[in-house]
Amino acid sequence: MAGDSYSSALLTGAETTGELLALSAVEAGLRLTGVRTGPGRAEFRAPLAPDSLGPGRRLPPTLLAVAADAAVASAVFAHPASSPTGVTVELRVDQLAPVAPEARHLDVTAVALGVTDGFGSGRAEFRDDRGALIAHAVGMMVGDSDGRAPLGPGSDARPPMDPEAVRIQPLGDGSARVDVSEGLLNSRGMLHGGLLMALAQLAQEHCHATAGATLRPLRLGVSYLRPAPGEGSLHFRSEYVRRGRRLWTLRTEVLRSDGTIAAIATGTGAISGVPVRA
Ligand SMILES: CC(C)(COP(=O)(O)OP(=O)(O)OC[C@H]1O[C@@H](n2cnc3c(N)ncnc32)[C@H](O)[C@@H]1OP(=O)(O)O)[C@@H](O)C(=O)NCCC(=O)NCCSC(=O)Cc1ccccc1
């Protein structure tokens, strides 16, 4: 399958998204597999290695963000009223609870909430294998109904992504740089939307560390304004919106090398370390 196999596999009546995700480099690198799909619905599963969890037994940011994007996109593009292909324009993830110590896999279930005039919204629930609700995501997709071709020359025929490649280069002023490599691209040849969210999370953690604080992430939302190209570098520039006694909100602009904004990420977290204020 070429090009937009991501969603077309769902529409051609595949019983599972496994065939698709086996070919999808980013999802395969995270061992995220499709369990089943149906009209306006998609289910995914990923193993949870005990040593892969973050502080407070949080889901790894990359798995959380990529699974959110993949699940919501799959559900929306599998909706009978949806265009078969398209892109993510808004994605928000709320982290609700830690993963149970004995949990060994993650189940992600997504449903399309509605598709109208080329736009579709969906919601995904993340549960550990004890059934506990860990996180939820909402997203909005826009279909390719205006006839625009995929960006290309993307391809799914790439080796699985190395999760270690999802990293930022911290800069001294609290901002960060990311060199976009081929392993981070989706089938359209642009930076995978879930990976952009994960990189924004890492960039925000770096900014908090520069401010001397540790935060427990509660919510991260990304607006995808323009495609993030599949080569070159991106600059993640962060600025605090508010620093309260319990909650801090940080806004991160993701800038392309031409200076235009590819995305805006807004994250809210709870202070869990003692902040050092200027
Ligand atoms: C197109 C739209 C969604 C809506 O735009 P509209 O309101 O209709 O406005 P407009 O048409 O003015 O375009 C706005 C700007 O965009 C540019 N441009 C647009 N189309 C193209 C093009 N074909 N090629 C090149 N550039 C294009 C256009 O030049 C303009 O730039 P300007 O402002 O003049 O400098 C835009 O917001 C966008 O691309 N956002 C990023 C979405 C994104 O990257 N999502 C994450 C990845 S997807 C994912 O993860 C899910 C998935 C996974 C795996 C596999 C498959 C899916």
Side-chain angles (χ1 to χ4, degrees), residues 34-125:
V35 179
R36 67 179 69 86
T37 189
R41 191 173 175 86
E43 293 178 30
F44 292 80
R45 176 167 287 186
L48 284 176
D51 59 0
S52 71
L53 300 180
R57 304 196 59 78
R58 289 199 311 270
L59 286 175
T62 308
L63 176 60
L64 178 61
V66 169
D69 193 28
V72 173
S74 296
V76 169
F77 295 133
H79 189 283
S82 171
S83 157
T85 62
V87 291
T88 311
V89 285
E90 298 282 343
L91 187 62
R92 194 193 86 204
V93 173
D94 291 358
Q95 301 206 36
L96 306 176
V99 176
E102 59 277 19
R104 292 296 172 266
H105 70 253
L106 177 72
D107 288 314
V108 187
T109 304
V111 291
L113 300 173
V115 176
T116 315
D117 296 335
F119 297 93
S121 292
R123 176 175 186 273
E125 285 188 0

Side-chain angles (χ1 to χ4, degrees), residues 178-260:
V178 169
D179 292 327
V180 181
S181 57
E182 198 196 352
L184 306 182
L185 308 187
N186 65 19
S187 59
R188 304 168 73 101
M190 58 175 139
L191 178 62
H192 189 290
L195 289 182
L196 188 149
M197 171 179 263
L199 291 162
Q201 172 74 45
L202 297 175
Q204 294 212 335
E205 285 171 13
H206 163 60
C207 185
H208 294 317
T210 305
T214 306
L215 271 80
R216 179 167 67 87
L218 296 173
R219 168 174 289 189
L220 182 64
V222 175
S223 298
Y224 299 89
L225 305 180
R226 296 186 182 89
E231 56 187 16
S233 62
L234 295 169
H235 186 205
F236 288 64
R237 186 174 65 192
S238 298
E239 188 174 58
Y240 284 102
V241 178
R242 179 175 181 272
R243 283 192 272 186
R245 282 179 299 123
R246 288 170 295 173
L247 297 176
W248 285 17
T249 298
L250 183 60
R251 182 179 187 269
T252 301
E253 290 181 350
V254 182
L255 299 162
R256 308 194 297 192
S257 52
D258 63 2
T260 55

Side-chain angles (χ1 to χ4, degrees), residues 136-156:
H136 86 105
V138 290
M140 179 186 285
M141 311 287 143
V142 58
D144 286 328
S145 53
D146 66 356
R148 269 188 165 142
L151 293 177
S155 164
D156 284 326

